Amino acid sequence: MSSNILSYIGWTFLPNLVTGWIQTIYYGITIRAGDPKPQPGTPRYIKHRQRIHIAVIAIYLLYTIYEADYSLRQEGDFYQDLDLPVDVDEKKIKARFRRLAAIYHPDKAANPEEHANAEIYFVKLKSAQDTLTDTTKRWAYERFGPDVLAWQHVSSIRDYLFVGVQTVTPLYGGSIAVMILLGLFGYLQWGRYWRYLIFAGLALVEYHTLTRPYWSPILTKVVNPFFTTFTSHPPILPFQFLALAHKATFTFFVALGQLSPLFAPQDRPASNSSSGLDEQHLQRLEQMAQSTEIETQRLLALEMTPLVGDEAGQNDMKGRVREWLVQNTIRSDPEVRDAMGRAMAKRRVGAPAGARLTAT
């Protein structure tokens, strides 16, 4: 319990702290001395921080799972105590216990301190032998762990399963209640779909593991073959697999909470309303432009009414308008005047480069 509390406390500040350190070191290595570094709040700085933060959270997530697995290995299991494979039969279990009992019996201890330690170890071996040679207890131990040794008034698989489900139900009921309650108060909105989906998947895997007479195919065909082939890790028992699955699931939920500020959209309602207002303004401006164009065409037609039927007069009017546009609009532009001056300078002999035409 204390390790879980420390783990969750570490999740509250370690990722942000380590992300800041790594980003500072990254800029110190990749940016040369004298070059400006990205400042907080700039798009480049935010992009780098997001990528580093995601990497830190992923590494810390893997470390948390490794730490939980290491604790389970330190605690050991009955198969490791007897140094036997998980598929061993009853006859080999008894033979192994007799051999170990002959070596580690408390009566062979040389002094009281060794006698006390030998007695504790002998009781542990005896518990392992008694549990694994009883078919019902062995089934319950592999799925619920050493806690089954303290259960009372249980004698059949149905009894063990009933008590085991009672111990698991508060975990799922409390977790669902907390997620729903936090959702009602506006928390855990980002990634909510994935939280419920992963939680439902965990419940399905646990139900299958606890209610089947055989081990989960995930263990027998994927996890344990991988560990026994490529590592020295002992085979994982079903109760250890479920403990790791619980740890990984709830740690992943905490990681989602760390990632939500990086990906959750901010001020979405305000942006939607702003975009709606901008679209309304554009539509209104378009309507105004169309009405103005219609009014301009009407006024132009009204001004040209005296010249209806006089083609020469209309041509003269168009020429005057064209000349007015050239003189007052185009030639008055400084860039146009400079370009015309440079063109004329090439034709005039002795004219200085860059000569400009004066406005007429």
Side-chain angles (χ1 to χ4, degrees):
M1 180 63 69
S2 60
S3 62
N4 292 334
I5 295 176
L6 291 176
S7 176
Y8 291 131
I9 292 176
W11 271 106
T12 59
F13 70 93
L14 278 180
N16 288 322
L17 183 64
V18 175
T19 298
W21 289 346
I22 294 178
Q23 190 167 11
T24 301
I25 296 173
Y26 172 75
Y27 286 156
I29 296 174
T30 59
I31 297 179
R32 294 179 299 181
D35 292 344
K37 297 180 180 179
Q39 297 300 315
T42 59
R44 185 182 177 190
Y45 181 91
I46 295 174
K47 181 179 70 175
H48 291 165
R49 188 167 186 84
Q50 286 179 345
R51 293 178 178 178
I52 296 173
H53 197 56
I54 292 172
V56 169
I57 289 177
I59 294 173
Y60 194 53
L61 175 62
L62 295 176
Y63 169 75
T64 304
I65 298 174
Y66 168 80
E67 183 184 25
D69 176 68
Y70 179 78
S71 299
L72 289 174
R73 283 185 291 164
Q74 291 296 109
E75 295 174 1
D77 58 72
F78 288 163
Y79 292 100
Q80 294 183 50
D81 293 339
L82 297 176
D83 194 18
L84 292 172
V86 295
D87 56 351
V88 65
D89 58 19
E90 181 179 347
K91 182 178 179 180
K92 292 182 179 179
I93 293 174
K94 292 181 177 180
R96 182 64 177 173
F97 171 74
R98 286 193 296 267
R99 188 178 301 113
L100 292 176
I103 299 174
Y104 298 103
H105 197 279
D107 294 341
K108 295 186 177 183
N111 52 64
E113 183 178 355
E114 291 183 0
H115 182 274
N117 294 332
E119 188 173 11
I120 294 174
Y121 186 66
F122 182 79
V123 171
K124 190 175 183 180
L125 294 177
K126 186 68 168 59
S127 298
Q129 190 261 161
D130 293 342
T131 301
L132 297 182
T133 53
D134 187 317
T135 305
T136 302
K137 286 185 178 180
R138 183 174 180 176
W139 181 92
Y141 170 77
E142 290 176 348
R143 285 154 182 80
F144 300 105
D147 293 341
V148 299
L149 300 180
W151 295 354
Q152 299 179 355
H153 308 295
V154 287
S155 58
S156 64
I157 291 179
R158 183 185 295 271
D159 295 336
Y160 279 106
L161 183 60
F162 180 75
V163 176
V165 170
Q166 287 182 331
T167 60
V168 173
T169 301
L171 171 67
Y172 285 93
S175 300
I176 293 176
V178 169
M179 287 194 294
I180 294 176
L181 185 63
L182 291 177
L184 293 177
F185 285 97
Y187 298 97
L188 305 180
Q189 296 299 316
W190 187 84
R192 179 175 55 183
Y193 169 79
W194 292 107
R195 283 188 177 90
Y196 284 108
L197 182 62
I198 293 173
F199 197 72
L202 174 65
L204 182 62
V205 169
E206 184 153 6
Y207 172 80
H208 182 273
T209 302
L210 297 180
T211 58
R212 294 298 181 269
Y214 49 84
W215 286 18
S216 172
I218 300 177
L219 277 177
T220 57
K221 296 182 179 181
V222 179
V223 178
N224 284 337
F226 174 81
F227 282 131
T228 56
T229 303
F230 299 102
T231 68
S232 59
H233 194 291
I236 296 178
L237 301 182
F239 79 88
Q240 296 172 332
F241 170 69
L242 292 177
L244 290 176
H246 292 164
K247 184 71 173 182
T249 299
F250 290 104
T251 305
F252 180 73
F253 288 170
V254 177
L256 282 181
Q258 291 281 336
L259 291 174
S260 60
L262 302 180
F263 297 99
Q266 303 293 332
D267 301 328
R268 181 176 294 178
S271 63
N272 289 339
S273 60
S274 177
S275 61
L277 292 175
D278 292 341
E279 186 174 355
Q280 293 178 3
H281 288 318
L282 290 175
Q283 292 178 354
R284 190 173 301 173
L285 288 174
E286 184 178 0
Q287 293 175 357
M288 292 176 61
Q290 292 176 354
S291 61
T292 303
E293 183 179 0
I294 294 173
E295 184 67 17
T296 302
Q297 292 177 354
R298 189 183 66 80
L299 292 175
L300 181 60
L302 184 63
E303 293 293 334
M304 296 290 291
T305 301
L307 300 176
V308 174
D310 186 359
E311 186 176 355
Q314 292 182 1
N315 293 334
D316 181 63
M317 177 65 71
K318 292 179 180 179
R320 289 175 180 272
V321 171
R322 187 181 301 110
E323 183 179 359
W324 181 86
L325 289 173
V326 171
Q327 295 293 337
N328 293 277
T329 304
I330 300 177
R331 288 186 177 179
S332 62
D333 187 90
E335 295 183 0
V336 175
R337 292 171 57 189
D338 290 344
M340 293 179 64
R342 287 192 294 269
M344 295 297 295
K346 294 179 181 179
R347 297 183 179 182
R348 288 183 292 173
V349 178
R356 302 186 178 185
L357 294 177
T358 57
T360 58

